Every structure is written in C-alpha cells, then in structure tokens.
Amino acid sequence: MRIGELARRSGTSERLIRYYERVGLLTSTRLPNGYRDFDPSAERTVRQVRALLAAGLPTRTIQQLLPCGEPDGPLRACPGVLRKLRTQLAELDRRAEELGQARQALRQAVAAAEAAGLPLAA
C-alpha cells in the first residue's frame, strides 16, 4: 500500500509515517517509480507506535518493543525493556493522579461559583 493510503487508514500524516520509517519504526520497499510500498501490517504498526508515543515512550524503547509483538497480536515486553515500561507506567500513574486532583479542584470551584450565583460569562 502506498503512503497516502496508509496515512488515511491509520489516521496519521504522511510526514509522521516518513519519520517513523526514518527512525526505524516502520519499513517499506521502493517501487520502480520510487514510491514507498508498505505491507498491510504497517497500519497496525503505525497504530501501535502512536499509542506507545502517546503513553510517553521514546522511539528507542518503541523500536525495542515492536519486534516482540505477535503477528496480528498484542505487543509483548522484550528482554531489557521491562524496567523502562514499569518506569513509564509509574509516571503515567503519577500524572493521572495529578490530573484527578486538578479535576476535583476544578469541579469544586465550579460548584462554589454556581452556588454563589456568579454569572456564566466573564
């Protein structure tokens, strides 16, 4: 599949797909006309990469994780990566706790403003 189709199917930009390929997260072959040709599994790979990046993992760690996945299945932790995954999971848990506290404070502020009859616009 060509890069445009992969971008549409995976919901990402062609620019990001080129970046993923440049840093070794994705591979393609070149057609005689120079266009990139991606395997159908590239769509799953792009989605995995995006999810792992959103979780805060650096591309180097993602590069180590991708080969350990099952074909058409979930990613599995490779040797040497588990510590990094645990560290990142702890960081995500910490951030989730902070967000939960901020959310609660905001709810309380809104409730107090509504109880005081403050106007909506400002």
Side-chain angles (χ1 to χ4, degrees):
M1 114 181 55
R2 293 212 184 125
I3 194 168
E5 184 179 353
L6 178 57
R8 275 191 309 283
R9 286 181 170 197
S10 64
T12 193
S13 70
E14 291 181 20
R15 184 174 150 253
L16 274 176
I17 291 171
R18 285 186 203 97
Y19 171 74
Y20 296 161
E21 187 178 19
R22 189 171 64 250
V23 298
L25 301 175
L26 197 58
T27 59
S28 70
T29 57
R30 291 290 180 151
L31 299 174
N33 59 6
Y35 290 172
R36 289 172 172 86
D37 185 41
F38 292 93
D39 187 83
S41 67
E43 181 182 350
R44 179 182 54 85
T45 302
V46 170
R47 291 181 191 279
Q48 288 174 330
V49 167
R50 290 185 58 167
L52 294 167
L53 286 169
L57 291 173
T59 55
R60 271 181 292 160
T61 302
I62 295 170
Q63 204 171 22
Q64 291 175 297
L65 278 173
L66 289 176
C68 298
E70 299 289 322
D72 299 326
L75 288 173
R76 304 214 187 282
C78 301
V81 179
L82 187 56
R83 182 182 307 156
K84 293 175 188 174
L85 295 179
R86 284 186 175 149
T87 299
Q88 190 59 34
L89 182 58
E91 175 62 17
L92 288 175
D93 288 343
R94 185 191 63 74
R95 287 176 32 205
E97 177 64 28
E98 286 178 357
L99 283 173
Q101 291 172 0
R103 188 173 170 204
Q104 184 59 31
L106 188 56
R107 277 193 178 134
Q108 290 171 347
V110 168
E114 289 173 343
L118 295 177
L120 293 176

